[in-house]
Amino acid sequence: MRAHQPHALVIARLAGNPNFEKLAIDLKNAGNPMGNAPIMDEGWPKLVDYLCNHVAPLV
């Protein structure tokens, strides 16, 4: 996982980005150069679920 991927996803959700779901998929599929596959496989879906169900856009 690249360091900016979770930040980009959180910002997109807070900004009310209408392409949030597509961005979540694109960022997950963007590659994993650091070799942290378990983090991406287990943590990413949890982050996406949390943002979708517990975080409301600010705008």
Side-chain angles (χ1 to χ4, degrees):
M1 169 170 40
R2 295 187 177 166
H4 68 276
Q5 289 171 315
H7 298 106
L9 194 63
V10 170
I11 291 168
R13 179 64 178 158
L14 291 174
N17 187 327
N19 298 315
F20 174 80
E21 290 83 11
K22 181 180 181 328
L23 180 63
I25 294 167
D26 290 348
L27 287 175
K28 183 175 188 325
N29 295 332
N32 193 6
M34 294 172 43
N36 294 331
I39 292 172
M40 196 58 122
D41 292 341
E42 297 171 15
W44 192 259
K46 291 178 183 179
L47 175 61
V48 172
D49 179 62
Y50 178 79
L51 291 172
C52 288
N53 296 315
H54 301 287
V55 177
L58 296 175
V59 289

